[in-house]
Amino acid sequence: MRHVAVIGAGPGGLSAAATALGAGAHVTLVDAAEQPGGQYHRAPAPEFGATRPDRLQHGWRDFAARRDQVLGHSRCTFLPETSVWALEGADGIPVVHVLTGPADGAGRRRRTIEADALVLAVGAHDTMLPFPGWELPGVVTAGAAQALVKGERVAIGEQVVVAGTGPFLLPVAAALLGAGSTVRQVLEANRPGRIAAGWGARPWQLAAQAGKLPELAGYAATLARHRVPVLAGRAVVAARGDGRVEEVVTARLRDDWSAVPGTERTVAVDAVCVGHGFSPQLELPVAAGCALRAEPDGRRFVAVDADLRTSRPGVYAVGELTGIAGAPAARAEGALAGWLAAGGPDRPAVRALRRRVAAGRRFADRLAAAHPIGAGWPGWLRDDTVVCRCEDVRYRALRLAADQDPRVAKLGTRAGMGPCQGRICGPTVAALRSAEAARRRAAAGTAARGGNPHHRPIAQPIRLGELAAAADTEHSEEPS
Amino acid sequence: MSSRAIRPDADVLGRADRPVTILVDGTPVTGIAGQSIAGVLLAAGRTAWRYGPTGGARGVFCGIGVCFDCLLTVNGIPDVRACRRRARDGDVIATQSRAAAPSTVDDNEAGGEPEPPAPATTPSSVDGAR
């Protein structure tokens, strides 16, 4: 009997677990959180005693049914509060190294999982472009604001601006309104013409295929009811404050996201939530040796075929790892990958899943075309703007190091060497380096050489004590 | 103070809160059982609890464990992501600073805050070249 390990219990991973079980496999389902759901179905902890936990959720009934079916299945082992800190092995299916216990603890249980197939469903986090003052407390990602409302029942501020690009800004603004905050403005950096051109003809067909349109219409109605101005072609280009954010500077943007001089306005806030789309969490696919593909804008995703197979045999990738398309597409991809990973036979239902996956892919393409990141954003930066948050590395230092070997530049500036290990600044630094190199190329004939900013041998922190103490732990998680 | 918890009587989820109290740099802070340490601090109106290499205040940024901005020390174990760690009654929290060392040395010589108890295992974490 096949053993399928599924990493991540969000919409994609849970779906993969369900169909792998349906195809007769043993499933080990791993998630860093205490309960399944991922970011999309993030729910308050059971300790809140919520009598109506579904009120902030879309598709909660279907999710809850799938969750209960998977977790209650005799062939499923669910490992909550479990971080994958390494994938190992050049041949065969990578061995999964996990730690179970309170996050960043010191005495977590260490074990390895050896499976016949691996489904990676680890999701994404907000893409965040730097701007002057983005390191101030009170400036958070759009995803953080949403996670705090859904998981903690906390509003990040009373007077809030939500800014960036993409439809995700709408649910974030709606969540803040639901938490009793005043949303001063929602700013979409891309201009209406670009958005319309990106979605192309008959966008409602695509949106309906991905199941997103009714949800988005609901958020838009909520914003209209609260008279929240939604402005396109405008962005937060600076945040100011003494020890925390007190006001933001917004500006009108050109198509390439360069700010139009003279259009600056200040807005008093006590919090600002910013998101420029999403970045897939690529540590584990890279560790597994999966090939990546690059979008025209330079963003990278895991390269998969129509059946979600990566370049590494036996390793599948689903959800935001393959392209940003949201929960419905992730569910379809998970369902197909889980079934195939378990060795399930081809059937009409499988072919229907392939069509749903293809529809999700088209949705991702149009979403990316409608909400691109403009190349002119580095114009927001000043010499003293923090780019690497962990090490307080400023823009000037990075520009001066732009034509050095990447490793030399990293050691010299310390960008990417702090606790987050370049998760936040890595892609930004790479983009700034290539932009700077392009400027210098004509004069000096040099080009910045880039590494792979997603390569991290240790995917999640492990304490030295845990590493040392656990040498004798069991070597295989045998499902029973 | 501007971050805050949604009042239970105004919460569409229908909460039945139980309090959880943690000790932050010696001061008791009460939140709602089930919240993360970051949630408890934000619900108490506190947005910063860490200081970066050049002294800037930091708190929650990504909210889902990616950015490591919200690190603090929990029961003597340093570098715990506040957004990922569930608050437990009686947790002893120390805020952290990565600012330059001299002020830390001065504080210790002046007999300031006592050092947290040494953890049972090596506290350093392996996450690449730090």
Side-chain angles (χ1 to χ4, degrees):
Chain A
M1 186 175 294
R2 283 174 73 81
H3 176 199
V4 177
V6 180
I7 315 299
L14 205 58
S15 200
T19 56
L21 290 165
H26 279 297
V27 170
T28 302
L29 178 62
V30 177
D31 199 276
E34 289 164 314
Q35 42 186 352
Q39 301 305 330
Y40 188 77
H41 288 298
R42 178 185 278 258
E47 288 94 324
F48 280 72
T51 53
R52 297 182 294 273
D54 57 318
R55 285 293 294 270
L56 300 173
Q57 301 277 343
H58 283 270
W60 179 260
R61 192 176 300 177
D62 288 346
F63 161 73
R66 188 173 295 112
R67 175 197 62 194
D68 295 346
Q69 174 214 339
V70 167
L71 266 50
H73 201 288
S74 60
R75 279 185 273 109
C76 180
T77 304
F78 177 49
L79 302 179
E81 275 196 296
T82 299
S83 297
V84 178
W85 64 274
L87 293 180
E88 187 187 46
D91 303 312
I93 307 301
V95 175
V96 183
H97 291 263
V98 302
L99 288 163
T100 300
D104 303 330
R108 292 171 291 182
R109 180 176 178 199
R110 187 178 146 202
R111 58 186 144 189
T112 57
I113 301 164
E114 294 179 46
D116 300 309
L118 199 53
V119 179
L120 302 176
V122 295
H125 59 80
D126 293 83
T127 303
M128 277 294 296
L129 302 176
F131 51 85
W134 75 313
E135 74 280 13
L136 287 170
V139 180
V140 299
T141 69
Q146 174 90 322
L148 289 169
V149 171
K150 287 167 84 173
E152 311 279 346
R153 302 311 279 149
V154 164
I156 188 65
E158 299 290 356
Q159 301 284 327
V160 190
V161 165
V162 178
T165 190
F168 179 59
L169 302 177
L170 301 181
V172 171
L176 287 164
L177 291 169
S181 301
T182 299
V183 178
R184 301 286 312 270
Q185 297 175 345
V186 175
L187 305 179
E188 161 63 52
N190 282 296
R191 294 164 59 164
R194 155 72 65 187
I195 297 168
W199 284 113
R202 289 183 284 189
W204 56 90
Q205 286 188 345
L206 276 178
Q209 268 176 321
K212 279 289 184 192
L213 192 58
E215 191 181 328
L216 287 174
Y219 299 134
T222 301
L223 264 57
R225 201 163 59 245
H226 286 84
R227 301 184 191 287
V228 177
V230 181
L231 308 175
R234 207 166 178 89
V236 168
V237 295
R240 298 175 183 152
D242 182 10
R244 60 160 303 154
V245 63
E246 291 164 352
E247 64 179 26
V248 292
V249 180
T250 74
R252 192 147 59 78
L253 300 187
R254 301 188 184 93
D255 270 344
D256 72 347
W257 287 24
S258 55
V260 179
T263 61
E264 294 87 358
R265 303 277 183 276
T266 58
V267 183
V269 296
D270 54 24
V272 54
C273 310
V274 186
H276 300 104
F278 292 94
S279 303
Q281 309 213 94
L282 293 174
E283 297 95 332
L284 295 182
V286 167
C290 302
L292 305 181
R293 65 176 176 84
E295 291 278 304
D297 61 10
R299 291 182 309 150
R300 289 183 183 184
F301 294 96
V302 180
V304 290
D305 67 11
D307 284 344
L308 292 321
R309 289 189 184 89
T310 70
S311 65
R312 177 86 187 251
V315 179
Y316 296 76
V318 305
E320 312 297 54
L321 287 178
T322 71
I324 305 302
R331 278 196 291 270
E333 293 194 358
L336 180 56
W339 179 263
L340 298 174
D346 216 329
R347 286 178 181 168
V350 176
R351 292 191 282 279
L353 268 181
R354 281 196 189 96
R355 286 193 293 275
R356 278 175 57 203
V357 167
R361 190 62 44 84
R362 287 194 294 274
F363 181 79
D365 289 345
R366 296 229 203 160
L367 179 62
H371 299 278
I373 289 176
W377 66 266
W380 309 344
L381 307 183
R382 298 189 308 243
D383 266 0
D384 65 346
T385 302
V386 169
V387 175
C388 165
R389 302 172 63 91
C390 294
E391 294 292 323
D392 280 350
V393 183
R394 314 277 161 158
Y395 182 43
R396 182 169 188 274
L398 288 168
R399 276 199 298 112
L400 291 175
D403 56 1
Q404 294 174 347
D405 177 271
R407 263 167 301 192
V408 174
K410 184 175 175 178
L411 290 168
T413 64
R414 293 198 58 78
M417 291 182 70
C420 97
Q421 287 287 288
R423 285 170 172 85
I424 302 296
C425 74
T428 296
V429 170
L432 291 175
R433 283 173 63 82
S434 58
E436 184 70 14
R439 266 198 296 278
R440 297 180 183 193
R441 201 166 292 137
T446 58
R449 286 153 289 177
N452 178 350
H454 308 291
H455 178 62
R456 289 179 197 89
I458 307 291
Q460 287 287 318
I462 176 171
R463 304 220 171 244
L464 290 174
E466 291 169 324
L467 197 55
D472 58 350
T473 51
E474 69 201 83
H475 196 60
S476 180
E477 176 69 14
E478 275 303 319
S480 53
Chain B
M1 182 183 288
S2 56
S3 58
R4 52 160 176 81
I6 297 166
R7 291 207 327 267
D9 56 333
D11 194 330
V12 295
L13 297 188
R15 297 200 322 254
D17 290 356
R18 286 181 297 109
V20 60
T21 300
I22 60 179
L23 210 60
V24 182
D25 291 337
T27 305
V29 177
T30 298
I32 306 162
Q35 282 178 326
S36 67
I37 291 169
V40 170
L41 289 167
L42 288 168
R46 187 162 175 173
T47 53
W49 50 83
R50 192 173 79 91
Y51 295 88
T54 58
R58 299 290 172 77
V60 163
F61 179 59
C62 81
I64 59 170
V66 178
C67 76
F68 293 71
D69 263 26
C70 66
L71 297 182
L72 36 67
T73 299
V74 180
N75 302 327
I77 309 289
D79 296 340
V80 174
R81 285 167 284 183
C83 72
R84 289 276 319 275
R85 174 63 74 91
R86 190 78 62 205
R88 301 285 178 212
D89 245 331
D91 276 345
V92 177
I93 309 298
T95 57
Q96 288 187 190
S97 176
R98 301 187 72 224
S103 64
T104 311
V105 173
D106 290 345
D107 288 349
N108 288 344
E109 284 173 352
E113 287 288 313
E115 286 292 302
T121 51
T122 315
S124 317
S125 59
V126 180
D127 55 7
R130 279 180 63 183

